[in-house]
Amino acid sequence: MSRHASVTGPGELVRRRILRGLERRSRYRYVQPEVFWVDEGWLIRSPCCSRNIDPDGGVIDIARLEQPEPAVWRLYARDHAAGRWVWQASAGRIEELLTLVADDTHRVFWP
């Protein structure tokens, strides 16, 4: 299976929920994020409008969402300097975590 596997069925519904949650974001509303199923989690990627991470404005990792058990979602932000994912929060509902990504007042997700 490729790194960016296509998702159908219930997985597609989760992907759409994530995209809807991202529509409420306060930063970089004019770009279109992408959501992929990757390595047992959802990867959110977006063009780097600030050019802080990619001077050419290329696509960068924004956030990762995992559901390790039915009643738990975990949210990670990308530490681009260290090249790793950093846990930010856990919640019972994915919408709670998407609110953190959408608001992002401290520029954790949308650098």
Side-chain angles (χ1 to χ4, degrees):
M1 185 181 318
S2 71
R3 181 167 184 248
H4 297 290
S6 65
V7 178
T8 58
E12 177 61 17
L13 296 176
V14 173
R15 189 180 82 78
R16 289 181 187 181
R17 284 171 60 195
I18 294 169
L19 287 169
R20 269 194 316 274
L22 294 175
E23 289 174 0
R24 297 186 314 262
R25 70 189 181 279
S26 57
R27 301 181 56 74
Y28 306 123
R29 294 189 50 80
Y30 46 86
V31 298
Q32 183 61 45
E34 301 173 314
V35 177
F36 300 98
W37 176 253
V38 180
D39 302 325
E40 303 302 317
W42 293 98
L43 174 63
I44 301 169
R45 302 188 85 203
S46 179
C48 182
C49 297
S50 68
R51 301 187 188 260
N52 290 333
I53 305 303
D54 184 341
D56 296 326
V59 176
I60 62 169
D61 294 341
I62 299 297
R64 181 177 170 84
L65 291 154
E66 298 175 349
Q67 189 178 24
E69 49 192 85
V72 177
W73 283 93
R74 292 186 188 148
L75 173 65
Y76 298 85
R78 186 69 174 172
D79 179 339
H80 294 277
R84 63 186 178 92
W85 291 103
V86 179
W87 175 84
Q88 298 297 314
S90 295
R93 296 180 59 240
I94 193 171
E95 289 78 10
E96 295 173 50
L97 300 177
L98 291 171
T99 297
L100 297 175
V101 176
D103 291 344
D104 198 25
T105 55
H106 299 289
R107 298 178 66 165
V108 173
F109 302 101
W110 305 89

